[in-house]
Amino acid sequence: MTTFAPSRPRRAARLGAAAVCAASVVLLQTPPAEAAVRPVSFSFSYRLESRTWTQKAGRTTLAITKCNVWTGKFHAMLVRSTWKGDTRMAGATLTCAKGQRAEFHAPVDGTYYFVFTKLDDGRSYIGNAAIVYPG
């Protein structure tokens, strides 16, 4: 019995078809809205308000990337800023350690910011975080 290897044009066609299928799977798995990332540096002993940013409605994530106090806890509150006044949207308690994250829901397009608070115990929390939101 004799076996034949596929010809080069047929092999190229199969590889091309496989590449198109793989690309379509990747495209179907990407989220419909692009996310924006805002790096944040923080240093506070009791309370800190972040700078504002404008985002579309959706999920907002706060992820700690660096912190000097690995066992310390603090509260992060997502706030929507409007000309009528600010509205507290959601809050979460985080440990100030790399890899800690919390998710918040921003129900409408708007301008938002975070308020960080902790016990007034004389320790300062210094570190970095990333805010990921729908752009």
Side-chain angles (χ1 to χ4, degrees):
M1 178 170 182
T2 306
T3 59
F4 296 98
S7 67
R8 289 183 195 254
R10 189 180 299 162
R11 190 176 306 155
R14 283 188 203 158
L15 289 175
V20 168
C21 288
S24 66
V25 169
V26 169
L27 289 175
L28 291 174
Q29 291 179 351
T30 57
E34 291 191 29
V37 178
R38 174 182 283 273
V40 176
S41 295
F42 57 87
S43 176
F44 66 103
S45 296
Y46 173 64
R47 182 186 159 121
L48 174 71
E49 289 185 8
S50 74
R51 292 184 178 157
T52 60
W53 70 90
T54 302
Q55 77 168 59
K56 294 181 181 174
R59 182 175 61 200
T60 303
T61 303
L62 174 68
I64 305 298
T65 56
K66 179 181 174 185
C67 189
N68 68 327
V69 181
W70 294 95
T71 58
K73 294 195 179 284
F74 69 96
H75 191 263
M77 174 72 65
L78 179 65
V79 181
R80 181 170 177 242
S81 178
T82 66
W83 64 273
K84 294 180 188 178
D86 296 350
T87 304
R88 290 182 264 166
M89 304 310 292
T93 300
L94 291 142
T95 300
C96 198
K98 181 178 180 177
Q100 289 289 301
R101 65 181 50 233
E103 291 187 359
F104 306 87
H105 179 67
V108 296
D109 296 359
T111 302
Y112 291 87
Y113 65 94
F114 275 107
V115 175
F116 303 134
T117 55
K118 65 175 229 29
L119 291 176
D120 193 8
D121 58 3
R123 292 192 306 179
S124 292
Y125 288 9
I126 303 167
N128 301 320
I131 301 170
V132 182
Y133 56 93

